Amino acid sequence: MNLVLSLRGDGRLELRPSRVFRVLLGMIAAVLGAAIACSAAAGENTALMPLFLMAASLLAALYEERWIFSADGGIESRHGLLLLKAVRIYPAEEVERFTLSSFTKGKLRGTDPQAPSFLPTYLVLAVETRGEGDRTIEILRYAKKERLETRAAKIAGFCSKPLLNRIG
């Protein structure tokens, strides 16, 4: 899922899925729903797979993942489905810094980081808080390193918090 960083009308910075992504998933659900309705109107039995795909597309379109950053350093995290979403607010005094780190999927911690690996490497943008430790904001493949570093610098600068880059 591709997240988009944008400035909101109220002067806060927001990281969320693109609207195009959500609309596309909604359209897929609508097309599948129309196909199921036509099939049912023609008196045919409806297979379970189209119903499952329609429900999955609809739920994915309704899923919200959003990080809202304030200029004073406070952060609001929202994720979930409609009324079942969780909202967590991190006051500015709890936010210590933002971090960039990397990990290789399938590789154990403590193993030789210089050893050759054919496993995919990922980058993690996280926020360190006093009360809850690290909270992951976004994970991207290593190929998108520049995008994540730029995004992390924008967010940290906007919130007036330090950015610790642990990527080699």
Side-chain angles (χ1 to χ4, degrees):
M1 174 171 32
N2 186 29
L3 300 179
V4 176
L5 186 65
S6 60
L7 189 61
R8 291 170 40 132
D10 60 2
R12 297 189 297 171
L13 204 57
E14 180 178 68
L15 186 65
R16 60 171 172 70
S18 72
R19 288 186 176 94
V20 172
F21 177 75
R22 294 178 80 165
V23 167
L24 182 63
L25 287 169
M27 288 174 51
I28 290 170
V31 167
L32 286 169
I36 291 168
C38 289
S39 175
E44 296 177 15
N45 289 336
T46 304
L48 286 179
M49 187 54 80
L51 286 171
F52 174 75
L53 291 174
M54 182 188 75
S57 298
L58 185 60
L59 289 173
L62 296 174
Y63 178 78
E64 178 181 23
E65 181 174 341
R66 189 176 307 247
W67 289 85
I68 302 169
F69 306 95
S70 299
D72 68 358
I75 301 172
E76 183 178 335
S77 167
R78 299 178 188 175
H79 60 277
L81 288 170
L82 298 175
L83 300 174
L84 301 175
K85 67 181 170 191
V87 177
R88 175 68 173 107
I89 297 174
Y90 302 94
E93 53 274 359
E94 279 187 29
V95 177
E96 291 187 355
R97 66 179 162 225
F98 293 93
T99 60
L100 278 173
S101 59
S102 64
F103 69 93
T104 302
K105 192 172 185 177
K107 199 172 203 179
L108 296 175
R109 287 185 184 185
T111 59
D112 182 11
Q114 303 302 325
S117 174
F118 301 103
L119 301 170
T121 299
Y122 293 89
L123 304 175
V124 179
L125 170 59
V127 60
E128 284 185 20
T129 62
R130 285 194 180 99
E132 298 185 23
D134 289 1
R135 302 295 298 175
T136 300
I137 296 173
E138 186 174 18
I139 300 175
L140 290 177
R141 286 186 151 255
Y142 191 84
K144 298 182 179 180
K145 177 183 177 188
E146 190 175 307
R147 178 195 304 179
L148 194 61
E149 286 179 326
T150 302
R151 185 174 288 171
K154 283 182 184 177
I155 292 170
F158 184 82
C159 293
S160 302
K161 299 289 182 181
L163 173 63
L164 176 60
N165 190 338
R166 295 181 181 142
I167 300 171

